[in-house]
Every structure is written in structure tokens, then in C-alpha cells.
Amino acid sequence: MTHVLDPDALSDGDRLLAPPVDPFSDVTRSDAAFRAFLHGLPGVDQVGAEARVAVLGTRSIKTTAKAWAIDMAISMVDLTTLEGSDTSGKVRSLAAKARRPDPGDPNCPPVAAVCVYGDLAGVAREALGTSGIHVAAVATAFPSGRASRAVKIADVKDAVANGADEIDMVIDRGAFLAGRYLDVYEEIVAVKEACGSAHLKVILETGELVTLDNVRRASWLAMLAGGDFIKTSTGKISPAATLPVCLVMLEAVRDFRVATGTQVGVKPAGGIRTTKDAMKHLVLVNETAGPDWLSPDWFRLGASSLLNDLLLQRQKLRTGHYSGPDYVTVD
């Protein structure tokens, strides 16, 4: 049972000095307590979630609102390359595109971040300079997460030392599915500490969590452990980011802020390729979590090919006609 201070029993001085009350301070005291809490969360109505996103997906965004939404989506993109064949040259090219997505239009906003493997974070940091664009690095034995904790922590520290100011970690899905919630929680806490001042995005790999109930539980676990963002997927397995999954995660961050006063971001990643996909996500954010999340500080779109479609649609709005595929660079 959590004991809450009675504010009426405090003097004005004591009230100012009293630490904020953590309503979940007892949750992580044991595996049993954590399991009881996570399995006590309200169940997710999968049919209802699918119906909700289907209705929101029919919303039509036109003219001025569409222009604003496209620019907002561009500013939310984590422009990503996570291939074994990545080179320093490819990362520099991606960084140039991140800074000036449309070289012919200086009013086009830059993206939020460039996301790379940790060993290339230094290349990205040098190429981005003082642009203000973040360098995100995947770590903790991405994408499988199958390594010792010591190796994962070393991976994080190396990425931060190379210049990453955002770390995208993967949770141990095997431990989560086996019900070892405290192990997963403690690993996220350790990774968060290793991040130092870098922000931590916690990848749930929702395609392996099987149920939306598990997505809700994993979201709360990651937030309680101190994640700054919760992220759907590595983009390496299917299904990746789906609208029902994103709905559940947005509900979780909304409810978590109500309960704790702490706001946590959301990042769907994998399979978001078209402007229509991006618009559906923005509508979902606004209608579920609220407009406070309509900012690159609190919502990101992990993608590689999405930016090209956003640029083509933006150019169509600006000029009245579509350009050919050679209007944008091939990443």
C-alpha cells in the first residue's frame, strides 16, 4: 500500500520541503508486486482498438491544415539507416538531407534526428554540427537484445562517447514474456544511468509481444523505469508499427502523465512509408494523448523512405503538380 502524505497535516514550510509523492513507489519492490500491478492494468479491447483507429483513419486533412501537418511530420522524423552495409559516406549524406530535406526550399523544416548504429554516431555528430538535430544511436545489442547486461551497458556508453545524445535501447523480450518483469525494469534503469544526459528511447518490439495487453504492460514498465520515450519497434521484424499498437502506447503515456505528472514521448517505427501513414499517426496523437504531444520533443516517426514521400506531397501542395522520383535523393 502506498502511503500518501496528508497535505492538510503539513505546515506551509513542511509542504514546501516535502518530496513529491510517488504513487508507484511500492510497485517495483518485488517481482510479485510488479506482476500484480502490471496484470492489474485495465485490459485492452482489441476489437475496440481496431475500430477506433479505423474511424480516426478516415479523417481528411486538406489544404492549409495538410501543409502544417506535413511540415510537422517532417520535423518529427528520425531519419534512419540501420544496415550492416552502412558507411561514413552514407551517414554524411543522410545528415545533409536531415539538415536541408528540400535543398530547393529553405522553408522546409529539418528533421528531428538522424538514427544510426553507435559506431557511426561520431560521424553523424560531426556532420550535423550545431544544427540542433539530434544524433540517435541504437544500442543494447540491437535488434535482438541478446547479450549480457555488461555488454549492453558498454554498448550504450560507447555510443554516448561517440556523440549520441539519444539512445534507442531494446528490451529483453524473452525476459518480459517469461514474466521476469523486475529483470527488464532493472536493466532499463541501468541503461538510463549509463545514458548520462542522453535521452533514452525504450524499444518494446511490439510485434513480438503478441497481445495489446502486453504492449500496455511493457509501456508502463518502461515508463516506470525512467524511459524518456517508448518506441514500438526495431523495424527489423513484422509487424512493426501498427495503429492499434500506437493507440495503446499513446493511452499509456496519457494515463502515466495523469498519474505521475511526468510526460513521456512515443515513437512508432517500421512500416511508416507514406504521407497518409504519417497523417493517420498525427490524428491519432491529437485525439488520444492530446495536442501536448504534437511536437518533436514528444512524438517521433522512425523512418527512412517516409521523408521522400512527405517531400513530394509538400512540393505538390506548393506548386500544384507532382515531381518525378528524381526530385528527392535515394537514401
Side-chain angles (χ1 to χ4, degrees):
M1 179 178 178
T2 300
H3 298 284
V4 180
L5 287 172
D6 178 2
D8 293 333
L10 299 175
S11 68
D12 289 341
D14 288 338
R15 191 176 291 111
L16 290 172
L17 295 173
V21 175
D22 179 1
F24 303 107
S25 57
D26 287 347
V27 166
T28 58
R29 72 180 186 276
S30 69
D31 254 324
F34 214 171
R35 186 176 301 109
F37 171 77
L38 292 177
H39 285 263
L41 293 170
V44 180
D45 175 1
Q46 181 163 344
V47 173
E50 291 171 353
R52 173 69 171 158
V53 299
V55 169
L56 292 176
T58 65
R59 295 279 179 87
S60 181
I61 302 175
K62 302 291 187 183
T63 58
T64 304
K66 185 174 183 179
W68 175 88
I70 287 174
D71 278 5
M72 177 58 70
I74 290 171
S75 75
M76 291 173 164
V77 167
D78 279 7
L79 194 56
T80 302
T81 183
L82 296 170
E83 302 299 332
S85 58
D86 286 343
T87 63
S88 295
K90 183 176 182 180
V91 172
R92 290 191 187 97
S93 176
L94 207 65
K97 184 171 183 176
R99 297 179 70 154
R100 289 289 299 273
D102 185 347
D105 183 1
N107 294 318
C108 182
V111 305
V114 169
C115 185
V116 295
Y117 279 110
D119 63 314
L120 290 168
V123 177
R125 169 57 60 212
E126 182 181 9
L128 291 170
T130 59
S131 64
I133 298 170
H134 296 287
V135 175
V138 294
T140 65
F142 177 95
S144 70
R146 300 254 56 88
S148 69
R149 189 171 299 180
V151 168
K152 292 178 181 180
I153 295 301
D155 196 16
V156 171
K157 289 182 176 179
D158 183 62
V160 172
N162 284 341
D165 59 352
E166 297 183 351
I167 295 294
D168 290 28
M169 73 165 287
V170 288
I171 67 166
D172 185 337
R173 283 87 76 191
F176 180 88
L177 292 169
R180 301 198 330 264
Y181 302 129
L182 202 54
D183 285 350
V184 181
Y185 169 86
E186 289 173 347
E187 185 161 279
I188 297 171
V189 170
V191 169
K192 173 70 173 175
E193 182 178 358
C195 285
S197 61
H199 279 199
L200 175 63
K201 304 194 200 88
V202 182
I203 306 172
L204 309 181
E205 196 66 293
T206 53
E208 292 183 344
L209 297 187
V210 184
T211 68
L212 293 179
D213 285 330
N214 275 340
V215 172
R216 176 166 285 172
R217 291 167 189 151
S219 296
W220 273 84
L221 186 157
M223 293 187 291
L224 289 168
D228 298 297
F229 267 74
I230 50 176
K231 178 179 171 181
T232 60
S233 329
T234 61
K236 299 297 185 182
I237 71 159
S238 183
T242 68
L243 287 168
V245 160
C246 193
L247 171 68
V248 171
M249 293 170 66
L250 287 165
E251 289 176 341
V253 297
R254 176 199 66 197
D255 296 345
F256 188 78
R257 188 175 74 168
V258 170
T260 67
T262 298
Q263 187 163 335
V264 174
V266 175
K267 178 182 173 180
I272 305 171
R273 297 184 176 90
T274 67
T275 299
K276 183 179 289 187
D277 292 336
M279 298 301 101
K280 288 180 179 180
H281 279 85
L282 293 186
V283 170
L284 193 63
V285 171
N286 189 64
E287 297 297 321
T288 306
D292 285 356
W293 272 266
L294 284 175
S295 159
D297 292 335
W298 302 110
F299 193 75
R300 299 283 182 83
L301 295 162
S304 52
S305 60
L306 170 63
L307 181 58
N308 281 353
D309 194 65
L310 287 167
L311 292 173
L312 290 173
Q313 293 295 331
R314 187 177 189 276
Q315 199 259 356
K316 166 65 164 56
L317 284 179
R318 191 162 57 92
T319 67
H321 60 82
Y322 285 107
S323 294
D326 57 347
Y327 179 78
V328 292
T329 59
V330 178
D331 301 320

